[in-house]
Amino acid sequence: MPKLKTWNEEHFEIRTSTIEGAGRGLFSKVRIEEGDTIGYYTGKIISEDEFHDPERPFSAYILWVCRTHIIDGVGPESNYTRFINHSDAPNAFLIVSSRWKSARFEALGTIEPGEEIFFNYGDDYWE
């Protein structure tokens, strides 16, 4: 079995999404194999209290890891993974670890160069 890889920003391109009206999307520049890590979701870390603060600006890039570790994927601490769009037929999935306080995207199957990366945001996102 080949060794799984962890890719980084240089292996991706951000350009107009294939989803009409979605804005920008994340596209692979390399062949990614099933199980490879596409990248870790990064951003400003806030607590549950900070999240519920009525003065906090709205962000569509919130990822809840645990009460004390919520990632806001906007701003200088964020990275390329925030451009992964939603699909009901994703080619990646999100692994969240409250123990390690991290979130990473893993390929569900082979992703070819030029393909857009998608994951299923889940029902909670749309509420």
Side-chain angles (χ1 to χ4, degrees):
M1 178 175 191
K3 184 177 179 192
L4 297 177
K5 294 180 182 173
T6 298
W7 300 97
N8 60 47
E9 191 163 7
E10 71 186 46
H11 301 109
F12 298 92
E13 178 180 15
I14 298 163
R15 62 177 197 250
T16 303
S17 176
T18 58
I19 301 171
E20 188 174 330
R24 295 182 289 174
L26 185 69
F27 294 79
S28 181
K29 293 176 7 182
V30 296
R31 181 182 168 100
I32 299 171
E33 299 296 338
E34 180 179 347
D36 283 357
T37 295
I38 293 164
Y40 284 82
Y41 194 77
T42 64
K44 180 180 179 185
I45 307 304
I46 61 174
S47 68
E48 186 176 38
D49 289 341
E50 290 171 294
F51 174 79
H52 291 296
D53 182 346
E55 300 296 316
R56 182 185 62 80
F58 171 79
S59 174
Y61 296 94
I62 295 290
L63 196 152
W64 196 286
V65 176
C66 64
R67 289 183 39 234
T68 61
H69 198 91
I70 300 165
I71 304 170
D72 186 350
V74 173
E77 297 99 338
S78 67
N79 70 2
Y80 62 100
T81 60
R82 79 183 193 123
F83 293 99
I84 299 176
N85 285 313
H86 166 79
S87 174
D88 290 330
N91 55 8
F93 69 102
L94 182 65
I95 299 171
V96 176
S97 171
S98 58
R99 178 181 182 187
W100 301 110
K101 296 189 175 30
S102 67
R104 68 181 176 88
F105 292 95
E106 190 173 290
L108 285 169
T110 301
I111 299 170
E112 297 294 344
E115 273 189 69
E116 186 169 3
I117 312 295
F118 296 105
F119 87 103
N120 188 323
Y121 288 7
D123 293 338
D124 290 347
Y125 180 84
W126 305 106
E127 291 178 1

